Amino acid sequence: MISIPEMIGYLAACLTTLSFLPQAIMTIKTKDTDSLSMGMYSMFTAGVLLWLMYGIFKQDKAIIFANAVTFLLAATILAFKIYNNLRKTDE
């Protein structure tokens, strides 16, 4: 049986991860990253990676699940941002 704290953790993981999905979908579709901050996405992606590592060390499935998915989405957006910035400097 799942405990109440564990249930809260999974609910929090789902909500925070799902809240990030619209930004990821829009960025992937439009490839427009002009309004996104490189500093913010760099720090956010690094922070999510650290939370993922923390979850792995703690063997906390809710933390692992949420941060693995969010890391993939954030890293994708960051990659688009870096690519677009590099393209602009070449023009």
Side-chain angles (χ1 to χ4, degrees):
M1 177 106 182
I2 191 167
S3 69
I4 290 180
E6 197 173 8
M7 196 176 342
I8 291 170
Y10 278 109
L11 181 59
C14 288
L15 290 174
T16 55
T17 300
L18 288 175
S19 73
F20 202 72
L21 204 52
Q23 181 69 61
I25 290 169
M26 187 173 73
T27 302
I28 292 166
K29 278 184 179 179
T30 66
K31 299 186 179 26
D32 178 22
T33 59
D34 286 341
S35 64
L36 303 178
S37 165
M38 176 73 84
M40 179 271 183
Y41 266 92
S42 298
M43 288 187 286
F44 179 76
T45 304
V48 171
L49 179 60
L50 292 172
W51 273 113
L52 174 58
M53 293 168 61
Y54 175 79
I56 291 169
F57 284 124
K58 290 289 195 175
Q59 298 181 345
D60 188 315
K61 292 177 186 170
I63 294 174
I64 294 168
F65 167 76
N67 289 288
V69 173
T70 304
F71 176 73
L72 290 174
L73 296 172
T76 300
I77 292 170
L78 182 60
F80 275 114
K81 181 67 177 171
I82 292 168
Y83 176 77
N84 287 342
N85 282 3
L86 290 174
R87 267 190 44 223
K88 285 182 182 178
T89 59
D90 289 341
E91 293 176 355

